[in-house]
Amino acid sequence: ATEPEPPDYLSEGERDIFDKIKAGLSPETLEVQDISGGCGSMYAIDIASPRFHGLSVIKQHRLVNEVLGEDIKKWHGVQLRTRA
């Protein structure tokens, strides 16, 4: 299994989130998209990680929230899809 590489088209904010999640959760697939029109206040994040295996969706989302820490508190919202 190879870890995902960030696409070239990511904004600075998207890339920052991508790198933090990649480092913290070793995902198999990862997509990060700024869905706020580029102002960085709302993101759609799609993650598949073996770290989620056996965890409820709530616990998977908590893991992501821990990895993103202070960043996530500054956003208006996040669309999060997680799976093992």
Side-chain angles (χ1 to χ4, degrees):
T2 59
E3 287 196 344
E5 288 303 316
D8 294 338
Y9 56 79
L10 291 186
S11 69
E12 193 176 324
E14 290 167 335
R15 176 66 194 259
D16 188 45
I17 294 160
F18 189 101
D19 290 343
K20 284 183 179 161
I21 291 171
K22 183 176 169 178
L25 296 174
S26 306
E28 290 169 346
T29 63
L30 174 58
E31 290 176 32
V32 178
Q33 184 183 4
D34 183 341
I35 52 173
S36 63
C39 67
S41 63
M42 192 160 177
Y43 290 91
I45 303 173
D46 191 317
I47 311 164
S49 171
R51 296 259 328 259
F52 296 150
H53 192 72
L55 297 179
S56 68
V57 171
I58 301 273
K59 287 182 177 169
Q60 292 175 17
H61 288 199
R62 278 197 193 126
L63 263 182
V64 176
N65 291 347
E66 284 172 27
V67 167
L68 294 174
E70 291 300 309
D71 292 336
I72 208 165
K73 294 175 184 165
K74 299 177 203 153
W75 305 343
H76 292 301
V78 63
Q79 292 176 357
L80 195 53
R81 283 186 61 216
T82 57
R83 57 199 177 285

